[in-house]
Amino acid sequence: YMTRDVVVEEEDYKIDKKDVRVDLRGSYSNGFSLYINGRLTNTSGRDLTYVQILIPTYNEEGHRVGSAIATINNLSDGESWEFEAVDLSNGANFDFSKYNIDAF
């Protein structure tokens, strides 16, 4: 008899800014770290296993010092996430328009 090998390939897809909606809610510093609050809504059409947002941070002179980062696991399609991204390098400022998303 004859056997047939079945190959199952995992669908490869890239999630980026067009697949989510992100709104800035506010920010504050405790003197050691910068906190940036917002809401991210999964509009990708699929459930996501992992989502990370990175927001570049800068010192008083405008030089890049780090990123405020927040992550979540298992964000369903259509679900919103109230995030608090933290920059441990205590940046003084941030540029929300340059945020980056890493998700799968």
Side-chain angles (χ1 to χ4, degrees), residues 10-48:
E10 191 172 306
E11 183 181 356
D12 189 26
Y13 58 89
K14 175 77 175 130
I15 299 294
D16 58 28
K17 288 183 180 183
K18 71 179 176 14
D19 296 308
V20 297
R21 187 177 70 242
V22 180
D23 301 302
L24 176 65
R25 299 285 197 214
S27 66
Y28 66 94
S29 174
N30 66 2
F32 301 101
S33 301
L34 177 65
Y35 298 84
I36 304 168
N37 298 293
R39 177 185 288 159
L40 182 147
T41 303
N42 177 4
T43 58
S44 69
R46 62 178 68 236
D47 295 343
L48 301 175

Side-chain angles (χ1 to χ4, degrees), residues 3-103:
T3 63
R4 188 190 296 220
D5 289 333
V6 177
V7 177
V8 177
E9 292 185 28
E10 191 172 306
E11 183 181 356
D12 189 26
Y13 58 89
K14 175 77 175 130
I15 299 294
D16 58 28
K17 288 183 180 183
K18 71 179 176 14
D19 296 308
V20 297
R21 187 177 70 242
V22 180
D23 301 302
L24 176 65
R25 299 285 197 214
S27 66
Y28 66 94
S29 174
N30 66 2
F32 301 101
S33 301
L34 177 65
Y35 298 84
I36 304 168
N37 298 293
R39 177 185 288 159
L40 182 147
T41 303
N42 177 4
T43 58
S44 69
R46 62 178 68 236
D47 295 343
L48 301 175
T49 303
Y50 174 84
V51 180
Q52 174 177 271
I53 186 167
L54 296 114
I55 305 163
T57 59
Y58 305 86
N59 64 15
E60 296 281 350
E61 293 79 37
H63 301 286
R64 178 86 186 265
V65 294
S67 295
I69 301 169
T71 63
I72 192 170
N73 293 320
N74 302 320
L75 190 65
S76 299
D77 182 41
E79 189 175 15
S80 291
W81 164 40
E82 297 285 338
F83 67 83
E84 182 170 75
V86 181
D87 171 32
L88 299 176
S89 63
N90 195 25
N93 301 299
F94 61 93
D95 188 345
F96 195 72
S97 69
K98 292 185 180 179
Y99 74 84
N100 204 349
I101 298 292
D102 186 20

